[in-house]
Amino acid sequence: MHPSFRLSRTVLAAALALAAMPVLAQTDSTYTHFDQTVFFGDSLTDSGFYQPILVAGNGPQAATVARFTTNPGLVWAEFLADFYGTNATPAWQLTPTGIAAGSGDDFAAGGATVSPGPGYPPAPNFTQYAPSLTNQVGAYLAGNGGQANPDALFTVWGGANDLFFYLAGATSQAQFLGAAGAEVGLVGTLESAGARYVLVPTMPDIGLTPFGLSQGAAGSAGLTQLSEAYNATLFGGLQAAGLRVIPLDVFHFLREISADPGTYGFTNVTTPACGAAPALGCNPANFVDPNAAQTYAFADGVHPSTASHALLAQYAVSILEAPGQIAVLPHSAEMVGRARADRVAAHLGGDKQTADGMRWWADLRGDFQRYGQGDRYDGAGPTLTAGVDWASGSVVYGAFAGYGRQSLDWGHAMGSFSQTDASLGGFVGWTGNAAWVNGQVSYSRLGFSTDRDVQLGPATRTHHGSTNGSNVSAGVNAGWDFVSGALRHGPVASILSQHISVDGFAESDPDLSTSLAYPDQHFNSLIGSLGWQASYRINDHVQPYARLTWDREFRRSPDEAFAQVQSIPGTMPYAVPGVDYDRNYGTLMVGARTQVFGLDANLGVSATVAQRGGNDASVFATVGSKF
């Protein structure tokens, strides 16, 4: 076997091993990071406010759990907090002697209204002691010096008990809708105190609950209209006040489940899983069917079952994570752009041209991306770049064109996206006795196709989207070679600027509660690299080499990522924390220049090392010859 073929095989084996090399450290794998989740609300969010008093009174299942659902299941707030690794245990609890402080961040209490007043139902029920959402927010701020954690996710969800007071004849419709205005005020209070991320679910369609259906067709329709009126007042008020929130369209979400229950694993969406028993403390002894907690949508007339709470949490996760998923697109384009620029720079190399004249070259590479152990995103794809050089003395200049396609998966079974790039560029290089320098510019037309999956129990919704973008790049590479016989080595430095734009787009099925739209994205990347490279000429046909650099991304990723809920017209785009990437890392390149089938060839691999949270790698093969 010819030595160059043996070397090629060795280099490719090393390339594959380096491309598969794990990162040295990992961050959490979610796109969105909150260091706390704080909940204000009523029975839909209550994770155990009444448990101590039920224990004292030997209430149903009092010794274990007491939530407004099919116990011992969790409520949506607990599922959501579990996903983010935060806390949703009660922040306070009702005891026989009053309200005692708890250890958690869930201030919700079953029966709570928005404005101060007794909870629903009032006396003689102990729900009369439920702290209102106003009191809940006040207690949180009082315990935190009047400041709201800017890195926390807050949830404000109320209004249902204000509706029940109105239905009972205790308040007017104007007072009921006034509760929506009061909820707007609470959001404003939190944001004035420093809160940046406030999740505001809509009131569910009460007309579709077992209670609502029991009122007959006219009564059910009336409850639906009241729910819509509350939501319109709430989100109209938020819009008028300029308050940016994260909407959760529970109203339409419930309608979607009710219209097609089997898809989401339900056999019953019209009658309670707990029979005549109330949801608080409902347990398997009350279930109308042994599997009711998972197959019935409602625990009683208005409260969701555990399975419904799990679906609601999955829906919330999809809304919170989607902006970060789409924020990956510019980062993926930046990685591919850097790989392309590295290959063009490596083609110029620093070695002197063997002779004046015109040459052609073609580079085929495979790019690999992996972040968060693949739970953020990972994937790969090929790119073919070809160019022409004109050399004269110490100067070489030329042009290139290329096309590539990447196929990548988002983590947590959240779907996939593909990326294409069509590039045109030019370059010029100069090589002296020891020093060398080259520069390049390029324009890439980007294309993206997204398939974002939303997991809802046994169902998977896929929202499709497509958009275009661009990458305008400019880079400079320089170095100095020390030559000692067959060994050539020396320092290298480079700087690469990329201006990446991704056009805004809207996903398919805009009437569904889970469908989103995204604004334009822009990222100006500036990567500087310093390092050392070395090569050794074994003979005229074989020259292995290696290069190690320390790299710095001088520009931060955007602090926030944005999206807009399409099923609630008129809502502003909402924000979540942006996706953070390591800005300091190393890049190792190994390979060999040789000959294959009489053509000059360069085979090797490049991979980032010591990069927190992920790594990139490229396997490449370049061939060329004189015309």
Side-chain angles (χ1 to χ4, degrees):
M1 182 181 296
H2 193 278
S4 64
F5 285 100
R6 287 197 297 268
L7 179 61
S8 300
R9 186 176 64 182
T10 301
V11 169
L12 288 176
L16 292 174
L18 188 56
M21 182 175 57
V23 296
L24 301 186
Q26 296 290 347
T27 58
D28 67 328
S29 59
T30 57
Y31 294 91
T32 304
H33 175 73
F34 301 109
D35 62 11
Q36 186 182 22
T37 48
V38 183
F39 300 91
F40 307 112
D42 50 32
S43 55
L44 295 174
T45 310
D46 183 351
S47 62
F49 178 76
Y50 293 108
Q51 183 160 329
I53 200 166
L54 287 180
V55 169
N58 297 316
Q61 288 288 296
T64 54
V65 289
R67 302 181 184 91
F68 291 81
T69 186
T70 46
N71 292 283
L74 305 180
V75 297
W76 78 278
E78 294 169 292
F79 286 117
L80 185 67
D82 284 347
F83 181 84
Y84 287 111
T86 54
N87 186 305
T89 56
W92 49 9
Q93 292 182 305
L94 184 65
T95 72
T97 57
I99 296 177
S103 59
D105 296 318
D106 190 339
F107 289 81
T113 55
V114 177
S115 299
Y120 185 89
N125 296 290
F126 49 72
T127 48
Q128 67 178 303
Y129 301 110
S132 68
L133 271 70
T134 301
N135 291 339
Q136 294 170 27
V137 171
Y140 166 79
L141 292 176
N144 290 274
Q147 299 298 309
N149 179 1
D151 298 317
L153 173 67
F154 295 89
T155 296
V156 179
W157 193 10
N161 292 303
D162 301 270
L163 172 60
F164 293 137
F165 269 113
Y166 165 63
L167 295 177
T171 59
S172 66
Q173 184 169 338
Q175 289 174 304
F176 160 58
L177 295 179
E183 190 173 343
V184 172
L186 293 179
V187 173
T189 298
L190 285 169
E191 295 194 1
S192 295
R196 298 171 62 192
Y197 309 110
V198 183
L199 181 70
V200 179
T202 63
M203 181 181 291
D205 185 349
I206 303 299
L208 288 181
T209 64
F211 163 74
L213 295 173
S214 71
Q215 306 304 302
S220 173
L223 289 169
T224 294
Q225 291 177 345
L226 288 170
S227 302
E228 289 180 307
Y230 186 93
N231 292 331
T233 304
L234 173 60
F235 282 92
L238 292 168
Q239 181 83 3
L243 295 172
R244 187 187 72 183
V245 300
I246 306 170
L248 200 63
D249 190 1
V250 182
F251 179 90
H252 286 103
F253 185 61
L254 174 57
R255 294 172 70 90
E256 291 156 10
I257 291 173
S258 297
D260 188 14
T263 296
Y264 306 99
F266 294 114
T267 60
N268 189 303
V269 294
T270 59
T271 59
C274 302
L280 182 62
C282 171
N283 61 83
N286 308 119
F287 293 170
V288 297
D289 179 272
N291 298 316
Q294 298 300 320
T295 58
Y296 277 57
F298 291 94
D300 61 9
V302 293
H303 295 104
S305 66
T306 296
S308 292
H309 274 292
L311 286 181
L312 180 57
Q314 288 180 306
Y315 170 38
V317 165
S318 76
I319 294 295
L320 294 167
E321 292 292 293
Q325 291 176 255
I326 303 305
V328 161
L329 304 187
H331 185 269
S332 177
E334 181 256 335
M335 180 269 164
V336 173
R338 186 196 176 191
R340 178 183 59 253
D342 282 350
R343 297 309 312 135
V344 173
H347 165 67
L348 298 175
D351 289 341
K352 290 185 178 181
Q353 294 292 321
T354 57
D356 291 352
M358 187 174 178
R359 296 173 57 87
W360 66 268
W361 56 273
D363 179 86
L364 178 63
R365 73 175 195 273
D367 295 327
F368 302 83
Q369 303 182 62
R370 182 175 175 83
Y371 285 82
Q373 296 181 340
D375 287 336
R376 273 193 175 178
Y377 79 97
D378 69 345
T383 296
L384 177 64
T385 305
V388 178
D389 302 348
W390 290 268
S392 177
S394 298
V395 177
V396 59
Y397 56 94
F400 64 90
Y403 181 82
R405 181 180 180 85
Q406 309 293 311
S407 296
L408 304 108
D409 293 323
W410 287 304
H412 297 290
M414 290 181 174
S416 62
F417 69 96
S418 63
Q419 170 188 321
T420 60
D421 61 284
S423 304
L424 289 173
F427 55 83
V428 61
W430 172 86
T431 303
N433 291 329
W436 56 268
V437 62
N438 61 68
Q440 59 178 287
V441 294
S442 66
Y443 171 83
S444 297
R445 178 65 171 172
L446 306 175
F448 298 95
S449 179
T450 63
D451 291 314
R452 187 174 64 88
D453 291 343
V454 180
Q455 302 297 325
L456 298 170
T460 301
R461 288 185 187 176
T462 300
H463 291 293
H464 307 287
S466 62
T467 189
N468 297 312
S470 63
N471 182 355
V472 179
S473 301
V476 176
N477 298 265
W480 186 281
D481 287 342
F482 300 100
V483 181
S484 177
L487 176 65
R488 179 187 293 265
H489 65 98
V492 292
S494 68
I495 188 121
L496 175 65
S497 172
Q498 300 182 77
H499 177 71
I500 298 166
S501 297
V502 178
D503 297 338
F505 68 99
E507 292 178 330
S508 61
D509 306 306
D511 294 334
L512 292 180
S513 59
T514 47
S515 183
L516 301 174
Y518 309 93
D520 295 347
Q521 298 186 75
H522 302 281
F523 179 55
N524 294 318
S525 171
L526 185 64
I527 301 175
S529 301
L530 288 172
W532 204 270
Q533 69 179 12
S535 63
Y536 188 85
R537 186 175 296 277
I538 297 175
N539 54 45
D540 290 342
H541 302 297
V542 179
Q543 183 182 357
Y545 64 87
R547 183 182 72 183
L548 180 63
T549 60
W550 175 84
D551 309 302
R552 166 75 172 175
E553 170 60 77
F554 291 100
R555 303 296 176 84
R556 294 182 179 277
S557 299
D559 291 335
E560 294 181 320
F562 296 86
Q564 189 169 12
V565 173
Q566 297 198 78
S567 61
I568 310 179
T571 55
M572 295 184 292
Y574 66 90
V576 298
V579 183
D580 186 32
Y581 298 97
D582 193 4
R583 297 168 60 207
N584 297 289
Y585 51 90
T587 300
L588 175 63
M589 179 187 293
V590 297
R593 294 182 179 90
T594 182
Q595 287 193 338
V596 177
F597 301 117
L599 302 174
D600 295 332
N602 184 353
L603 310 173
V605 62
S606 173
T608 57
V609 295
Q611 186 175 14
R612 175 178 54 85
N615 70 327
D616 304 316
S618 296
V619 178
F620 56 82
T622 306
V623 296
S625 180
K626 293 184 65 175
F627 280 100

